[in-house]
Amino acid sequence: MNSKYNYKEVTEKILESKEEFDDIEEELIHELIQGKVSKDTNVVDQSRLSFGDKMSDKISSFVGSWPFIMVSVSLIIIWVIINVSYIIKPFDPYPFILLNLFLSCIAAIQAPIIMMSQNREGDKDRIKAKNDYKVNLKSEIIIEDLHLKMDEIIKSQKFIMEKINELEKSKK
């Protein structure tokens, strides 16, 4: 789009001086309104993801799900039953030191992966907030413009009504 005006300058001028808003050309406001400011933040975010980011998201979504909890609890129960029941020779007797080591290692690996995914979600939230701000700003400018136009219409209607009343009085 070939713009005669800089979007940022126009927005700053409108926001800085609401008293001078009447002096801004109608064309300038329409130029500002025509541009699309909203973005699909999911598309913007997906384009910047590395392989590690995608993996951390997938792992975090699985680790935070009921299937993961059920599989984990099932494996722990099976581990305990095998080592307590003496069905086979116990490879990790009662204090279950080996099980404890495995669970600690899993937790140590999961924690940073989940944190990476949460940091990315925070970044995505910041992008969404910035997008929302732009959309709200544009909406505010459009509403202000419509408000001014409605005021002008009301003034012109009052003027027309006065002229009609004057004409009616002059006819009598």
Side-chain angles (χ1 to χ4, degrees):
M1 184 169 116
N2 240 350
S3 271
K4 289 192 253 179
Y5 307 102
N6 182 334
Y7 179 83
K8 189 174 180 179
E9 290 174 1
V10 171
T11 306
E12 286 174 2
K13 181 169 172 78
I14 290 171
L15 292 177
E16 285 174 3
S17 54
K18 289 199 176 212
E19 299 82 35
E20 298 174 16
F21 191 73
D22 297 330
D23 299 337
I24 297 176
E25 299 176 36
E26 188 72 20
E27 181 184 338
L28 183 75
I29 293 170
H30 287 288
E31 187 75 30
L32 177 66
I33 292 170
Q34 285 175 355
K36 182 179 178 188
V37 294
S38 62
K39 296 177 186 171
D40 185 358
T41 55
N42 292 323
V43 171
V44 170
D45 188 53
Q46 290 294 326
S47 65
R48 298 183 345 204
L49 292 181
S50 68
F51 176 74
D53 291 335
K54 291 176 186 175
M55 286 305 296
S56 70
D57 286 345
K58 288 179 183 176
I59 291 170
S60 292
S61 66
F62 175 68
V63 168
S65 67
W66 280 107
F68 175 77
I69 292 171
M70 290 181 192
V71 167
S72 298
V73 169
S74 300
L75 289 175
I76 291 170
I77 289 171
I78 291 169
W79 184 288
V80 170
I81 289 173
I82 288 174
N83 284 293
V84 171
S85 68
Y86 293 101
I87 296 173
I88 60 171
K89 184 180 179 211
F91 53 90
D92 187 22
Y94 167 61
F96 307 116
I97 296 170
L98 190 57
L99 175 63
N100 209 357
L101 176 67
F102 284 145
L103 292 176
S104 297
C105 288
I106 289 171
I109 292 170
Q110 280 179 346
I113 290 173
I114 291 169
M115 289 300 292
M116 285 187 280
S117 181
Q118 287 178 342
N119 287 340
R120 271 200 358 76
E121 284 299 318
D123 292 342
K124 189 188 287 187
D125 289 342
R126 280 187 282 285
I127 291 170
K128 285 180 182 179
K130 193 181 282 188
N131 188 43
D132 289 345
Y133 174 75
K134 287 178 183 177
V135 170
N136 290 341
L137 179 62
K138 181 177 177 178
S139 297
E140 184 179 327
I141 292 168
I142 291 171
I143 290 169
E144 182 71 23
D145 183 44
L146 289 174
H147 182 68
L148 291 172
K149 287 178 181 177
M150 289 296 292
D151 287 345
E152 288 176 20
I153 290 171
I154 291 170
K155 283 180 189 176
S156 66
Q157 283 182 341
K158 284 181 181 178
F159 179 76
I160 291 171
M161 288 302 293
E162 288 173 5
K163 292 297 180 185
I164 290 174
N165 287 338
E166 286 176 14
L167 286 172
E168 285 179 352
K169 285 180 183 178
S170 68
K171 285 184 179 179
K172 290 182 181 181

